[in-house]
Amino acid sequence: MPPTRPQPHRSLLALAALVIAVALFGPVRAMAAPATSEPADPAAAGSEMTGGKAAVLGLVEGVTEFLPISSTGHLLVAQRLLGIGETDATKPAADAYAIAIQAGAILAVVLLYFRRLRSMVVGILGRDPEGRRILTGLVLAFLPAVVIALAFERPIKEHLLGAGPVVIAWAVGGLVILLVAPRWERHAGGRALETLSARQALVIGVVQCLALWPGTSRSLVTILAGLAVGLSLGAAVEFSFLLGLVTLGAATAYEALKDGSLMLDAYGWFNPLVGLVVAFVAAAVAIRWMVGYLQRHSLAIFGWYRLGAAAVATALIWAGTI
């Protein structure tokens, strides 16, 4: 009997389970501890933000959201460098702002993938089986991350939203892209997105939970998971973008309902609007560039970039800048 070829998605699932256990269940005791941080102060938070800083954060969000380099990590470092959200009193508004401007990146995906979204809507009506199949896959891939995120939101924010965890994730992700991804790209099944099964979508969804560790990059893990289950690189990238539309849309809506009023009290309407518009334009440009680039090249450039970002962030930590 010929030896069976190892299935990469099984190792991805095992890694996802390990990281979730270490990152989330370890600090779960903190959920029962009484809060000791100072109350949020919208006035203090508002004094930290300017129109220029809002635009810079929007640019960082838009460029990095769908590239496999982690928008959360970049926004965290950018906020530190700009002096935003440096205290417990100002951090809630800054965190809410960082999530709210994701709406700009979401709108960019809606614009660029409108035909695909339309086919999914038609699929709901029973007139496009392929669109309905993709929509079903998105729903299945979305569910695992939302369950874990809602269950462990507090320990994630308290223990992983720091420069140290981000640097680790940047470095590990860079090494994965350079050492592991090339083999998966060579052995990828080359299957079109329309062939994605419910089981494969669920695998991608479970692996997406890895991105709950800031700095990991939701785009990176979902693209790699797509390759692991047999999709072509182009199909894996498209599914990652569409899944990001669902996942980020839910996160943005949740944050808007939970802390949106705090953000508006601190920053008003102008600064969030500036960040959203800049994020929209930057994301549209970044998505179009990435799709075109990956038609001729591998993911390697993103691996080298992540290692460079980890090195720069480490130097900033040692220098006491962040």
Side-chain angles (χ1 to χ4, degrees), residues 30 33 38 61 70 80 99 117 130 146 153 162 188 195 231 245 251 269 311:
E38 57 186 301
E61 159 63 25
S70 175
R80 298 290 191 275
I99 294 179
L117 295 174
E130 291 182 350
V146 72
E153 176 188 13
T195 67
L231 293 177
L245 174 63
W269 285 95

Side-chain angles (χ1 to χ4, degrees), residues 204-258:
I204 296 174
V206 172
V207 175
Q208 184 181 213
C209 295
L210 288 170
L212 294 174
W213 186 301
T216 301
S217 173
R218 187 203 55 78
S219 293
L220 172 61
V221 297
T222 52
I223 290 172
L224 292 181
L227 292 175
V229 300
L231 293 177
S232 67
L233 180 57
V237 169
E238 182 178 356
F239 189 76
S240 175
F241 289 163
L242 294 173
L243 183 56
L245 174 63
V246 179
T247 305
L248 298 177
T252 302
Y254 174 75
E255 196 67 29
L257 291 173
K258 186 167 69 73

Side-chain angles (χ1 to χ4, degrees), residues 20 24 31 142-157 208-209 211-213 247 250-251 254 258:
I20 292 169
L24 303 182
M31 297 180 69
F142 166 73
L143 292 177
V146 72
V147 171
I148 296 297
L150 289 176
F152 299 99
E153 176 188 13
R154 182 174 171 182
I156 291 171
K157 289 185 176 181
Q208 184 181 213
C209 295
L212 294 174
W213 186 301
T247 305
Y254 174 75
K258 186 167 69 73

